[in-house]
Amino acid sequence: MAKVTLQTIADRVGVSRATVSYAFSRPDQLSDGLRRRILEVADELGYAGPNATARSLRRGRAGALGLLFSETLPYAFADPYAVGFFQGLAAAAEDAGVGLLILPLPHGERRTVPVRDAVVDAFCVVSLPDGHPALAEVLARKLPMVVVDEPYVPGHPFVGIDEPAAGALAAGHVLELGHRRIGVAMVGLHDDGRTGWADPARQRAAPFEAMRGRRAGYESACVAAGLDWAGVPFYELSRNSRAAGREAGHALLRAEPRPTAVLTNTDVLALGILDAAADLGLRVPEDVSVVGFSDSAAQEAGLTTIRQAKQEIGEKAGRLLLSDPPPAPERLIFPHELIVRSSTAAPH
Amino acid sequence: MAKVTLQTIADRVGVSRATVSYAFSRPDQLSDGLRRRILEVADELGYAGPNATARSLRRGRAGALGLLFSETLPYAFADPYAVGFFQGLAAAAEDAGVGLLILPLPHGERRTVPVRDAVVDAFCVVSLPDGHPALAEVLARKLPMVVVDEPYVPGHPFVGIDEPAAGALAAGHVLELGHRRIGVAMVGLHDDGRTGWADPARQRAAPFEAMRGRRAGYESACVAAGLDWAGVPFYELSRNSRAAGREAGHALLRAEPRPTAVLTNTDVLALGILDAAADLGLRVPEDVSVVGFSDSAAQEAGLTTIRQAKQEIGEKAGRLLLSDPPPAPERLIFPHELIVRSSTAAPH
DNA sequence: ATTAAGGTCTTAATTGATTAAGGAGGTTTC
DNA sequence: GAAACCTCCTTAATCAATTAAGACCTTAAT
């Protein structure tokens, strides 16, 4: 019961290895009788079909797209935004008949480095912090690569939204409604697991480019409206969950003076803020306005949010990756839009 | 700028190909000076590192697990249950430093068959209908394989729950509360996209084994309680979404006589039933009781549901797949449990 | 001086296929 | 009867690495 290869079958049938290969991958090159004979013998010997790796090597094509997320895999799908993006990407992959290889991030000292050994034709990098070692490994592979959301890598295609503009749009909305006491809750700024108040210095030092930009949009809109940013309570979360949002909500809504509007950078967080408001007996939007981000979990709860085309972004990334010739290093900025629902209103 | 391989570098440095290989994958076999020299030249020539496919071929190890879902990829993650399972599986994969190759199902006539060409060490099959061609392709690869939920394949490990018992538990709960007019809404029984009323014959002909079993559990509990199953309104959905649940809810809650309890096989569907009840001015649980399944989206809404250990199931599947020697063909049945919340109560 | 032991590099076999080019043999065409 | 043309199969190069075993040189121990 040693390993059965094309050669084993060839020897048994008394033909050359090439003939057996044709039997499997180019039936028209063979007489029907011989082909049947070969398949029969293959079956008898328990042949598992042409070895996928060998075929891939010879053909120079892996039939898979590599995908790198910032979060450890188990948490990557906690955010509906990620799920939407993934659906778009998967649709493109499915269309082309290629698989999606989800890679674990390098982790501790291990002898096999997932990125280096990934059998893929191209890489899609999503939301990596500045300077993350995985990015260097991806670049070293010299395969086509597109980045989604962050970080922008000159010379490679980029797909995302105009983060500062989107942030400014969200903040501008509540400012226009007349709010002057704003609070902010954000997740995904830093990688160090810290949760709690963040001063402007720490905010600006965030290694995640997209979130840094989004936050800068909040700030610029506030400053333009005459607010002192240093006086804006800013609560940072390490996990994007409803429970984390609730924690931030408790902190922000107990601040003195209490904010009349809270900005968040995910809908999931915003839902948690709503929970906190309920805990504290505050009405939304009468006592406090809440703005989410992504329009991923917002509709049912009546959340005002910024909608971004997550599926389209994923699909576009996929098509770029699969395009032949390889994609030009464009920067593709998708539109975003403010969706006003019932979680925001003028103060008082 | 032709392709750079180990040989290119070897020629340039004036050493053998093996030496260059050692420089990359076994540094201790080489003097420091030469190694540095080689890496330098490699860099100069723009070498992308040892070719992953060739390495994989030679080592006989792909570093990836293949994953097959029944649904087309873009919809696979619509159900939080799937997400939970995936998180568990991903955790196991991450631990082992291997990737997760999500495969598109064979689809139309294409020259590359994704399963056949997938560079993986093992397959995880999730929720495939009886007789799905992809299963045959997976089996032909003769790699380790585990099935999750369905279909049971003799001779291969299986991970799931006791579906008939879980179904019976859900139905038994409302029957014990005293309900006698039960309605059922289920998704994922058939593959043909039909939505609408399903008679018992069609119910029993469902190609999805797990859902068939779950339904059989509903039926047996009802029959044991003296109900006539043929008189139980049964609405079948082709998509697992809140909107689909709402549609089913409208149909069921307008039936005469109106059911006082509705069983569903996913929480997402149950949420839709709640929407429909609200639309029709019915109070839950006073006018109608609703039972979900999976405890994936149930907590916030106060849904009574059956909890199954989705993450543990995923993780166990992963560990089996990665175990060496390959896993024995056990049938691993995980526990389920009834979680009673505020969506069920005695009738009247 | 001799032998053993290390360290460093090379040789060559191996992994399992694909595919262009060519040859053998038979049939058709003029 | 020769040229032309198929059909069916073989030869041999190729894809890009890994790794056991051996060669060669230096150093250390006996």
Side-chain angles (χ1 to χ4, degrees), chain A residues 58-236:
Chain A
R58 181 61 234 238
R59 293 213 166 133
R61 173 175 185 289
L65 251 39
L67 185 56
L68 263 106
F69 279 111
S70 71
E71 310 231 29
T72 64
L73 278 185
Y75 295 111
F77 286 92
D79 187 3
Y81 169 73
V83 173
F85 162 77
F86 185 77
Q87 290 179 344
L89 184 64
E94 181 156 280
D95 252 36
V98 307
L100 228 40
L101 181 62
I102 304 196
L103 294 166
L105 292 181
H107 175 264
E109 264 334 294
R110 229 199 305 268
R111 59 200 190 307
T112 57
V113 183
V115 171
R116 199 151 15 196
D117 281 341
V119 178
V120 298
D121 297 310
F123 282 101
C124 183
V125 164
V126 188
S127 272
L128 244 39
D130 298 347
H132 193 289
L135 182 61
E137 298 210 344
V138 168
L139 290 172
R141 291 284 306 264
K142 312 208 175 185
L143 289 173
M145 171 192 92
V146 344
V147 175
V148 174
D149 288 351
E150 59 201 342
Y152 174 60
V153 180
H156 288 269
F158 173 93
V159 186
I161 64 170
D162 183 340
E163 297 283 355
L169 183 60
H173 168 61
V174 293
L175 290 164
E176 264 170 41
L177 285 172
H179 292 273
R180 281 302 170 271
R181 296 201 307 276
I182 311 268
V184 179
M186 288 190 84
V187 66
L189 282 171
H190 290 270
D191 222 4
D192 57 8
R194 254 179 62 180
T195 279
W197 301 108
D199 62 23
R202 179 163 165 92
Q203 295 167 28
R204 292 192 189 102
F208 286 91
E209 186 180 322
M211 293 309 157
R212 206 168 57 222
R214 202 175 288 182
R215 188 215 63 88
Y218 293 158
E219 176 173 355
S220 64
C222 287
V223 169
L227 297 193
D228 170 27
W229 182 257
V232 171
F234 189 108
Y235 203 88
E236 169 185 18

Side-chain angles (χ1 to χ4, degrees), chain B residues 15-19 22 29-31 34 57-58:
Chain B
V15 296
S16 77
R17 175 165 76 251
T19 306
Y22 283 139
Q29 298 286 299
L30 245 54
S31 68
L34 182 57
L57 173 61
R58 181 60 232 240

